[in-house]
Amino acid sequence: MNAVDLTKKLISIPSYVDSSTNEREIAEYVYQYLSKISWLTTVKQNVENNRFNVIAYSSMSPKLLLVGHLDTVQPSANWQTSPTQPIQKNNTIIGLGSSDMKSGLAAILSSLPKKKPATELMILFYVDEEYDFAGMQRFTQEYQDKIQPQLIVSADGDDCAFGYACRGLIEFSAIIKGKSGHAANPDSGINAITNTTTAIKQLTRKIKTYSSPELGASTLNLAYLSGGQNQGFNQQGQLELGRQGNIIPDIAEIIIDIRPANQSLTAKQVVKLLRSELEKNGLKLIQTKIRHDLGAWITKKQDLLKVTRLVNNPKFINPNNRGYVDLQMLWQTFNQIACTTYGPGDPACPHQPNEYVPIKNINQASKFYKLLISSPDTI
Ligand SMILES: [Zn+2]
């Protein structure tokens, strides 16, 4: 099947994750597709709850590792068409995951030749990228000592431009304690809500100073804040909050998302900085739960020269405002070897309703992967 038809086929298999749907059906389809290619050995790698990665290889000493994720975000309410019924319109394909990243999967799949190519390669199609990175974590655990690739290319990219860096991702929740008092006398307590926001503003300024030439400054988003009178935890472990106007709130809960641009900014370091800013404002940090602690990825552009030469006038993705790309985990696991993203997605639409991908990009990406696989000198 050509890359455009494959994109449509993959869109028609829902692969978002909720209580009734997951990546199982699309993974089975990809597994069957790869199993028909005689020079590849194709295996399923169990991840969790019947969800599995698909791994195919020509040899267990691959030089080139190609990767893509099988899942999409959940469909939002504002689709004008059925998200899992692909539609071809104005030289684009519309459908959930068209850009992110079923067209990228199609570009890789369609590029695999009938005869074994000169380059030894491994392909990883994995689950859970849009959620908690369970698929990528499972792969790195099992393969970190088994393989030593020289180049890793992910099709999770935009605009047929090369990605070479991204900031990391730190996310955690925290519970912060102040002191209650009578509202009529603000000095009788320490307001956990207003003092927390002051501390977060100061923390944001500190975080900014962790920068790098490639990735600019680190940034902070206060994603959630609630507070009130502390009434203890309920059976689900959630904080119960009183809402009485005449009492100074003595407890607050926050969720913070940070994009580190520099290796030295880790979750541990952020918690240390937060604690110190809270203490300056009379508050105590009493609990933190870290959800993500992922560093930045930087491959130097000159380390990608041989790959970028495969296309005329190569373009690059500006890494400063790019989201976290879990290719970073592979980069870190495999000794910071050259890693890049190259994919057909449209930069305007991932995670948006009415997502589409230009047909021109799909064909261009498919051509690139064909060239990459058949050019052993690029590695
Ligand atoms: Zn993606």
Side-chain angles (χ1 to χ4, degrees), residues 94-149:
I94 304 165
L96 179 60
S98 53
S99 256
D100 188 12
M101 61 160 288
K102 294 187 172 180
S103 53
L105 301 177
I108 295 179
L109 289 171
S110 65
S111 72
L112 301 170
K114 285 214 171 68
K115 273 201 194 151
K116 186 176 184 293
T119 305
E120 298 293 357
L121 69 102
M122 180 179 271
I123 306 160
L124 163 67
F125 291 122
Y126 61 103
V127 298
D128 203 43
E129 191 269 348
E130 302 288 5
Y131 304 87
D132 283 311
F133 310 114
M136 183 59 91
Q137 274 160 1
R138 182 76 190 87
F139 177 79
T140 53
Q141 270 165 17
E142 191 182 328
Y143 282 80
Q144 60 182 340
D145 299 320
K146 282 190 182 169
I147 59 168
Q148 291 173 302

Side-chain angles (χ1 to χ4, degrees), residues 53 62 123-125 145 176 231 242 264 270 275 290 302 367:
N53 296 333
I123 306 160
L124 163 67
F125 291 122
D145 299 320
I176 293 153
Q231 295 180 340
S264 60
V270 176
R275 176 172 289 121
I290 293 167
Q302 60 261 38
K367 198 176 133 194

